[in-house]
Amino acid sequence: MQTPEQPVLRDIVLIGGGHSHVGVLRMFGMKPVPGVRLNLICRDTHTPYSGMLPGYIAGHYGYDDVHIDLGKLAEFAGARFFRDEAVGVDRNQHRVLCRGRPPVPYDQLSINIGSTPQVQQVAGAGEHAVPVKPIHRFNDRWLALLERVRNHPGRTRIALVGAGAGGVELTLAMQYRLRNELRALGRNPDELEFHLFNSGPRILPTHNARVRRRFERVLAARGVRLHCGQEVNQVDAGRLATASGESLEADEIVWVTSAGGAPWLRDTGLELDEQGFIRVQDTLQTVTDPRIFAAGDIATMVDHPREKAGVFAVRQGPPLAANLRRAVEGRALKSYRPQSRWLALISTGDRHAVASRGGVGFEGDWVWRWKDWIDRRFMAKFNELPAMEDEAPKQASSVQLEGEEAQQAISAVAMRCGGCGAKVGASTLSRALGMLQPAQRDDVLVGLHAPDDAAVVRVPPGKAMVHTVDFFRAFIDDPYVFGRVAANHALGDIFAMGAEAQTATAVATIPSGLESKVEDTVYQMMSGALEILNDANCALVGGHTGEGKELALGFAVNGLVDDNLDAIMRKGGMQPGDVLIITKPVGTGTLFAAHAKLQARGRWIDAALTSMCQSNRQAADCLHAHGATACTDITGFGVLGHLVEMTRPSEVDAEVDLSALPVLDGAEETVAAGVLSSLQPANVRLRRAIRNQSEVVDHPRYPLIFDPQTAGGLMASVPAEGAEACIQALRELGYPHTAVVGRILPQGEALEPITLKG
């Protein structure tokens, strides 16, 4: 993650990862504004480029060829990437409401979420049709449909509703791909039957007659049956009906029409058009609220209405970025006028395309190659990110502030005090923490519910205390997710010993800035942490928050365990004949090192964060119940380091199967590229504990046994006779990557206790 030298004075929030916003992210990455922070809210990490989607459906491109990696792009732009879905805007408090996280405050807001299928307007369509839009969610539906067709015996009838350019192009792409799939399976491609429905009298209504006639001939030649003037008004399971009384049995029904604005926009108070799209001025500001912009399909330019087409969203990126920049700098905005004519290159499924512009139309294989060149050049701008400009001068930002905010900004860039002068202000802290609800426990006598100089906690009779502490700087830009991971990591030691978490005390450093920005960072981070602590019934009883250059968080955690050594799961205790189990995949160190270098795919980081946010509590209970003889959580020392910590006090040796090691997606690729955590070299020194290092050093997973983990899984030894039942129980609890990775052996005479096999 990038750590700006300037304190944050203004937040630009982008809702959605559409074609306009990817342009904004790239332009701000190329030339950031000091004191201005970008924030991207988007549920999906990989956003498709609509121009290449038909080629992907037809099988000409792979997934990564047609998707922009928002995680990588946001990292390049220095933007905080919130992987969530916006569900509302509180315009009075200037906050975006999200489905699964705290609200995100904004100073300027932009919406680029595309259109939403209005399937509810037709009875049964929402339940029985596959909507194409929003296209960033279409891939899962397409893959499921593809699998159903492959497994469907005999004739398959597919109906598509909507015969604009998108519907026609998608029909031909699907037909081309599915016929090829059936051929590859040794089946007759003529088993497929395609029907295309259109409520109007002709296909491609916004294109010229020559282009329409060409596609009518192509559809006819390929056996696609057109149903023009047939408005679909009823969809049932395996059947659709039209207003004129026509009915068709269909195995698959795909919806490519009737798109509108997202329903939550109606509650924002923004002025919308008849289809629910946001009405915007020539500056791309909404006509209702000058703080809010909109672009792409979700926006309707009042003075220059245009067809909903990807070309306009792409073209709106630069003027949107420029006006967002001007808005935060207090400068006058500029008007944007879209072109009245545009070039559309529409493919015919195979590597052939038709060009359409105004009254002109022409076609050929060379047109497809031309389209392919244009599309690949566009994608290269986001997949091959350029070097950023030299760092902005470290002077006061050009962002316009007034009154108290201006005084706070001057304070934020001034030399900061040390000692207690570096603490976060009491009012700022109390406001942030006042919105949180820590878990309440009867054994906490004095805690946050009645703050004092220190917490007072009762130790129940027959219990012993378990103490641990963890602290580290942020490795991602999202303070909410960082808080979840930090709390989960800190609790890991408690659970690994078979204890229950009782209380936690937080220690945090927060970068200086405007009070409102500091307050929100504390609130976001501690909201995430409290979700994890409360789920473990661990009461947050106090803490300390001070200023620092980088965001960091840690916890001192107290736990309770039966006052009996036999009830405690310890590192020592492994027995010869035990099997070695790991409950989570490894690879977080190399993946986040690669993320910082823009060399990790966003979906790899998503999967890593999901793993890091998963608690070890249930896994520890399960291992304890199945007679685990020793246990630890895998953290900074990696698999090998923690295994050595277990074998030495147990006075045993261990054999580990590298091929059985559960690994996070992408980790093998990043270590193979030589991207390693900064702690890896220190961990590699423990290779002296490996008996047969020369035999396995070239194994692709060998570097991963040294990879430091954050909020990693548990590693435990379990009696062999109960291992299968233990693994099954762990997987049923939601630890699907649980695996037996080795076995425990009697201690040999050699000094190296670990043997690896490939």
Side-chain angles (χ1 to χ4, degrees):
M1 59 178 285
Q2 299 184 26
T3 303
E5 293 291 334
Q6 288 280 348
V8 176
L9 307 177
R10 286 287 180 261
D11 275 300
I12 296 175
V13 175
L14 310 175
I15 300 178
H19 297 356
S20 302
H21 279 175
V22 297
V24 170
L25 288 166
R26 184 178 184 275
M27 295 181 75
F28 270 80
M30 293 285 289
K31 189 176 180 181
V33 179
V36 175
R37 178 173 59 192
L38 262 64
N39 306 266
L40 173 64
I41 302 173
C42 189
R43 196 189 73 168
D44 300 286
T45 299
H46 296 270
T47 188
Y49 172 45
S50 60
M52 298 178 78
L53 185 66
Y56 168 68
I57 298 299
H60 305 316
Y61 303 117
Y63 180 89
D64 289 319
D65 294 326
V66 305
H67 284 81
I68 296 170
D69 191 329
L70 293 177
K72 184 186 297 185
L73 184 59
E75 183 73 7
F76 167 76
R80 299 194 300 181
F81 184 16
F82 301 148
R83 294 164 178 81
D84 208 320
E85 183 178 7
V87 295
V89 176
D90 180 350
R91 289 172 47 219
N92 292 325
Q93 298 295 322
H94 305 139
R95 303 184 308 169
V96 178
L97 309 179
C98 300
R99 187 172 300 282
R101 59 170 302 121
V104 179
Y106 66 86
D107 296 291
Q108 301 290 332
L109 175 65
S110 181
I111 304 173
N112 180 210
I113 56 175
S115 55
T116 301
Q118 306 298 298
V119 289
Q120 301 306 324
Q121 295 179 356
V122 175
E127 295 77 20
H128 305 297
V130 177
V132 172
K133 291 190 175 183
I135 60 174
H136 63 277
R137 299 179 188 172
F138 179 63
N139 184 60
D140 289 343
R141 301 183 182 107
W142 161 244
L143 294 178
L145 188 153
L146 187 62
E147 193 62 25
R148 288 197 299 270
V149 171
R150 286 170 177 156
N151 296 324
H152 189 275
R155 180 171 297 278
T156 300
R157 181 176 291 168
I158 300 174
L160 291 94
V161 181
V168 169
E169 197 172 21
L170 185 64
T171 299
L172 294 171
M174 288 176 59
Q175 185 192 51
Y176 180 84
R177 172 69 176 276
L178 292 174
R179 287 178 67 87
N180 284 340
E181 291 286 338
L182 292 187
R183 287 191 188 97
L185 293 171
R187 291 167 55 186
N188 182 1
D190 290 335
E191 292 176 9
L192 294 167
E193 183 180 310
F194 277 82
H195 294 256
L196 182 58
F197 285 80
N198 193 42
S199 59
R202 57 193 182 190
I203 65 172
L204 300 166
T206 61
H207 294 269
N208 65 68
R210 176 188 292 183
V211 171
R212 286 197 299 273
R213 286 195 297 270
R214 174 55 187 154
F215 275 99
E216 286 169 352
R217 290 196 296 270
V218 171
L219 291 167
R222 298 187 187 173
V224 177
R225 303 183 187 181
L226 274 176
H227 303 260
C228 288
Q230 298 291 334
E231 181 180 359
V232 175
N233 65 355
Q234 176 73 43
V235 179
D236 299 308
R239 176 184 172 277
L240 58 78
T242 70
S244 65
E246 183 177 348
S247 177
L248 178 75
E249 302 290 330
D251 300 291
E252 303 289 347
I253 301 171
V254 182
W255 208 261
V256 204
T257 188
S258 301
W264 62 264
L265 290 172
R266 292 194 291 267
D267 298 324
T268 62
L270 296 173
E271 186 175 330
L272 310 177
D273 68 9
E274 294 80 5
Q275 286 75 44
F277 297 119
I278 304 169
R279 293 166 59 86
V280 300
Q281 307 173 55
D282 291 357
T283 58
L284 300 179
Q285 290 170 297
T286 64
V287 298
T288 312
D289 190 334
R291 284 179 179 262
I292 301 179
F293 295 72
D297 282 2
I298 198 60
T300 294
M301 295 192 71
V302 174
D303 296 328
H304 307 288
R306 294 290 187 271
E307 180 182 350
K308 301 297 181 184
V311 63
F312 295 116
V314 171
R315 296 282 179 88
Q316 285 173 347
L320 175 62
N323 276 344
L324 286 169
R325 190 183 300 268
R326 290 187 181 97
V328 294
E329 293 176 348
R331 296 190 287 134
L333 275 57
K334 290 188 176 181
S335 295
Y336 163 70
R337 183 184 181 92
Q339 69 270 36
S340 57
R341 292 185 178 184
W342 64 96
L343 177 67
L345 301 176
I346 310 170
S347 61
T348 57
D350 50 2
R351 296 175 186 266
H352 189 93
V354 178
S356 173
R357 187 177 189 273
V360 178
F362 49 90
E363 65 178 290
D365 292 353
W366 69 270
V367 177
W368 191 91
R369 292 192 295 271
W370 181 31
K371 171 179 166 57
D372 176 65
W373 177 79
I374 292 172
D375 290 340
R376 289 185 184 274
R377 186 178 64 168
F378 173 79
M379 292 295 289
K381 293 194 300 183
F382 304 100
N383 293 332
E384 302 168 13
L385 295 167
M388 291 184 286
E389 292 185 0
D390 292 338
E391 188 177 347
K394 299 178 179 64
Q395 73 252 7
S397 170
S398 59
V399 175
Q400 299 297 305
L401 302 174
E402 296 181 357
E404 184 179 350
E405 275 197 336
Q407 294 176 356
Q408 290 180 18
I410 294 171
S411 173
V413 299
M415 183 176 291
R416 311 302 295 167
C417 292
C420 277
K423 294 178 72 171
V424 171
S427 59
T428 301
L429 195 58
S430 63
R431 284 195 302 269
L433 297 180
M435 295 183 282
L436 304 174
Q437 296 295 326
Q440 301 296 315
R441 292 179 61 105
D442 293 339
D443 49 9
V444 176
L445 305 181
V446 178
L448 284 183
H449 63 284
D452 214 304
D453 290 334
V456 180
V457 182
R458 180 187 295 115
V459 180
K463 294 291 184 179
M465 294 295 296
V466 183
H467 300 282
T468 186
V469 64
D470 272 297
F471 180 86
F472 49 77
R473 66 186 183 90
F475 55 94
I476 52 172
D477 289 298
D478 185 339
Y480 168 76
V481 175
F482 172 57
R484 288 173 59 85
V485 173
N488 211 21
H489 184 90
L491 290 169
D493 288 334
I494 300 292
F495 299 142
M497 299 197 74
E500 65 165 306
Q502 184 189 31
T503 62
T505 306
V507 179
T509 61
I510 313 293
S512 61
L514 297 179
E515 283 189 6
S516 61
K517 306 301 180 185
V518 173
E519 178 184 330
D520 180 65
T521 299
V522 173
Y523 173 63
Q524 296 272 342
M525 184 170 66
M526 295 310 299
S527 291
L530 268 185
E531 285 187 10
I532 299 298
L533 294 174
N534 288 353
D535 181 65
N537 195 30
C538 180
L540 181 68
V541 294
H544 176 88
T545 305
E547 288 184 352
K549 182 179 178 181
E550 296 179 300
L551 186 66
L553 178 63
F555 294 91
V557 183
N558 295 329
L560 297 172
V561 70
D562 289 344
D563 190 5
N564 176 357
L565 281 178
D566 293 337
I568 302 172
M569 289 198 298
R570 303 165 69 185
K571 293 178 181 177
M574 289 177 155
Q575 300 295 317
D578 287 350
V579 298
L580 189 65
I581 291 175
I582 290 179
T583 62
K584 284 189 190 181
V586 301
T588 63
T590 178
L591 284 172
F592 281 93
H595 180 58
K597 296 175 179 291
L598 305 181
Q599 294 181 31
R601 298 194 185 281
R603 60 179 175 274
W604 298 346
I605 299 302
D606 286 352
L609 288 171
T610 298
S611 178
M612 295 159 82
C613 288
Q614 183 180 27
S615 172
N616 285 328
R617 178 170 56 87
Q618 288 183 302
D621 291 343
C622 182
L623 288 165
H624 192 271
H626 284 82
T629 56
C631 184
T632 190
D633 61 329
I634 306 173
T635 52
F637 298 151
V639 171
L640 182 65
H642 289 289
L643 183 56
V644 169
E645 288 183 328
M646 299 175 79
T647 56
R648 284 178 178 167
S650 302
E651 298 182 341
V652 295
D653 289 354
E655 181 183 75
V656 175
D657 183 356
L658 291 175
S659 297
L661 190 69
V663 174
L664 287 164
D665 288 346
E668 284 192 51
E669 288 91 331
T670 53
V671 294
V675 183
L676 304 172
S677 165
S678 58
L679 187 57
Q680 179 103 352
N683 288 348
V684 169
R685 293 172 191 154
L686 284 171
R687 65 184 181 276
R688 61 183 179 272
I690 301 172
R691 185 170 300 164
N692 61 331
Q693 181 186 174
S694 61
E695 300 173 16
V696 294
V697 68
D698 293 327
H699 193 285
R701 295 187 178 180
Y702 174 76
L704 289 168
I705 65 172
F706 307 105
D707 190 60
Q709 303 305 292
T710 301
L714 299 177
M715 180 162 55
S717 56
V718 174
E721 59 272 17
E724 185 175 344
C726 181
I727 290 171
Q728 180 64 28
L730 284 164
R731 290 176 176 170
E732 289 175 358
L733 286 171
Y735 302 90
H737 300 282
T738 298
V740 171
V741 299
R743 59 195 180 111
I744 309 305
L745 307 172
Q747 189 174 43
E749 296 182 1
L751 296 177
E752 304 90 350
I754 310 299
T755 301
L756 301 179
K757 66 176 186 177

